[in-house]
């Protein structure tokens, strides 16, 4: 039986030890970077699995320590929309 694999897209929040400049955001398609208390937070928006693993590879090539990865799924997005006053 042939099974179709869909490339789900999601948002990811990746926390990295140390500071990564905002200019690196161009290397991460659909990504934004901010720094809080010496921790860089890379947010990938609408990223498929390939984009996610590509970002992880770049971080490894930069010899950066990944502290945590959090997938922001549909439930999280709905909760954010409600918090922000958006309805979808």
């Amino acid at each position: 039986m042939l099974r179709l694999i869909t490339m789900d897209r999601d948002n990811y929040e990746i926390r990295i030890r140390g500071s990564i400049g905002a200019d690196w955001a161009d290397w991460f398609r659909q990504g934004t970077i901010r720094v809080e208390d010496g921790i860089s937070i890379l947010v990938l928006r609408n990223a498929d699995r390939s984009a996610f693993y590509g970002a992880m590879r770049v971080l490894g090539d930069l010899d950066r320590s990944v502290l945590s990865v959090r997938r922001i799924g549909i439930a999280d997005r709905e909760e954010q929309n409600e918090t922000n006053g958006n309805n979808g």
Side-chain angles (χ1 to χ4, degrees):
M1 182 166 131
L2 181 64
R3 177 188 256 179
L4 293 176
I5 299 174
T6 60
M7 295 301 288
D8 293 332
R9 293 179 175 270
D10 253 316
N11 298 332
Y12 296 90
E13 179 185 86
I14 305 169
R15 292 181 175 262
I16 304 128
R17 178 173 288 131
S19 178
I20 295 178
D23 54 323
W24 278 98
D26 289 343
W27 282 88
F28 305 102
R29 294 181 195 159
Q30 302 139 342
T32 58
I33 299 174
R34 68 181 189 278
V35 179
E36 295 178 3
D37 299 323
I39 296 173
S40 295
I41 301 169
L42 168 63
V43 177
L44 300 176
R45 302 205 181 281
N46 198 28
D48 61 16
R49 198 170 294 160
S50 176
F52 170 76
Y53 283 112
M56 296 301 286
R57 192 194 79 218
V58 169
L59 292 171
D61 290 347
L62 292 172
D63 197 27
R64 297 298 178 155
S65 297
V66 174
L67 301 174
S68 67
V69 176
R70 182 171 73 110
R71 186 178 74 168
I72 303 171
I74 293 169
D76 292 330
R77 279 186 243 144
E78 288 174 354
E79 182 178 312
Q80 286 178 350
N81 286 336
E82 289 173 8
T83 301
N84 294 331
N86 299 332
N87 293 326

